[in-house]
Amino acid sequence: MLLLVEVRSLIKQLPTDSSPALVRLLRVYSAKKNLQELAADSDLELSQIFKLVCHLVYWAKATVIYPLCEHNVYALSPNAPTSIKSHLVDEFNKAFPDYNLTEILSEFSFPSQFDEHQKVIDGRHRKSEMVKIVIWLLKHRLLIQLHDYLYLKPSYCEITTSADGKRVVELNEAGKEQLAAVADTNSVAAFSDLIKYFDGTRHIEDIMYFQDINRCQVATIVDRFLPMLYKIQLADPATSYYAKV
């Protein structure tokens, strides 16, 4: 979740009879936290967090993003106003007088990981400065996040449709032979467990969530079997909706 207004300002705007749970959520808010972390830190049920976030989104006080982290890949939004006469130039200069908006946007002309931009800024300012800049850019819908989607190469799989209409990815004979040639049975088992996600509809963050594993574990498996996969960077349709892409 990304708040579109300042936390203190939002709390002051709340009516006296507003939900105490909402105030608790706002007091522990951070764009770096996922909803599970917000639930734990605010001592609220996750289902309650979902309702509160939906409420904030409905009233245009928040939007939906993946938590900020060093591995996130950002790129300039196709709808971003890049004119030097844009009203956002003045707004950005007021918020970050040491930086130029057009120069910052140019750094995101090509997709790159967030930590790469932090390295550029470390010589002059703290890492938190770039975090604030990226949050500002996301609030104003100037950036989009890209995710790694994985496809099992057609030469190694066959895709069928289940009775309930879902796509099912399965290894064909060539794929089975490829796995049989791998000596590390643990790696084979881990890869086999993820095959169902390799149809291009789930990205790495989805896999991490549904399999309850970390990014390093996914990356290790993907790198080990990369010759069998296609990796494509795309925006998540769900967050793209809120970013108006």
Side-chain angles (χ1 to χ4, degrees):
M1 179 182 71
L2 175 67
L3 286 179
L4 300 177
V5 294
E6 294 299 322
V7 173
R8 291 181 182 177
S9 174
L10 182 53
I11 292 177
K12 288 181 180 179
Q13 294 174 26
L14 296 176
T16 54
D17 61 345
S18 62
S19 168
L22 179 57
V23 176
R24 285 162 61 181
L25 168 61
L26 294 175
R27 292 195 186 282
V28 300
Y29 162 78
S30 169
K32 295 181 178 181
K33 297 179 182 179
N34 60 38
L35 298 187
Q36 291 171 311
E37 291 171 324
L38 290 173
D41 292 347
S42 60
D43 196 24
L44 297 170
E45 294 291 333
L46 184 58
S47 59
Q48 195 170 7
I49 293 292
F50 286 154
K51 293 177 182 178
L52 292 172
V53 171
C54 287
H55 180 78
L56 291 169
V57 170
Y58 179 82
W59 289 106
K61 302 300 182 183
T63 189
V64 177
I65 65 167
Y66 283 85
L68 265 68
C69 74
E70 61 183 10
H71 299 289
N72 286 2
V73 175
Y74 295 107
L76 188 65
S77 169
N79 300 326
T82 55
S83 171
I84 59 174
K85 296 182 180 179
S86 169
H87 69 281
L88 293 176
V89 172
D90 290 334
E91 290 185 28
F92 183 84
N93 287 341
K94 291 178 182 178
F96 307 100
D98 295 332
Y99 299 91
N100 180 282
L101 178 59
T102 54
E103 291 180 0
I104 290 292
L105 292 180
S106 68
E107 294 185 15
F108 292 94
S109 296
F110 294 95
S112 55
Q113 285 192 349
F114 181 40
D115 62 344
E116 292 299 320
H117 298 285
Q118 288 184 314
K119 291 175 184 177
V120 173
I121 207 172
D122 276 350
R124 296 174 294 164
H125 297 275
R126 298 174 299 173
K127 286 185 177 181
S128 60
E129 190 73 4
M130 181 53 80
V131 172
K132 294 176 183 177
I133 289 175
V134 169
I135 288 175
W136 191 95
L137 296 175
L138 289 170
K139 282 183 179 180
H140 292 82
R141 299 184 171 91
L142 298 177
L143 295 182
I144 58 172
Q145 183 179 352
L146 300 179
H147 303 264
D148 287 333
Y149 287 81
L150 300 164
Y151 294 80
L152 201 58
K153 290 182 178 179
S155 55
Y156 296 116
C157 74
E158 51 189 43
I159 299 177
T160 58
T161 303
S162 64
D164 56 0
K166 294 182 179 179
R167 286 158 54 94
V168 179
V169 181
E170 295 178 324
L171 290 175
N172 58 19
E173 289 305 316
K176 293 176 182 178
E177 291 176 5
Q178 187 77 4
L179 286 192
V182 178
D184 186 351
T185 56
N186 290 331
S187 294
V188 171
F191 179 77
S192 300
D193 198 34
L194 300 186
I195 285 177
K196 57 182 174 287
Y197 300 110
F198 298 154
D199 64 348
T201 62
R202 297 292 184 184
H203 50 66
I204 286 180
E205 285 77 13
D206 280 339
I207 296 173
M208 291 166 55
Y209 176 78
F210 288 114
Q211 293 295 119
D212 193 24
I213 55 179
N214 60 43
R215 186 180 299 274
C216 183
Q217 290 172 297
V218 177
T220 299
I221 298 169
V222 170
D223 290 345
R224 176 66 180 82
F225 296 93
L226 195 57
M228 298 178 65
L229 299 168
Y230 287 126
K231 184 190 295 185
I232 300 176
Q233 284 189 333
L234 298 170
D236 186 310
T239 53
S240 294
Y241 172 81
Y242 292 103
K244 297 183 178 179
V245 176

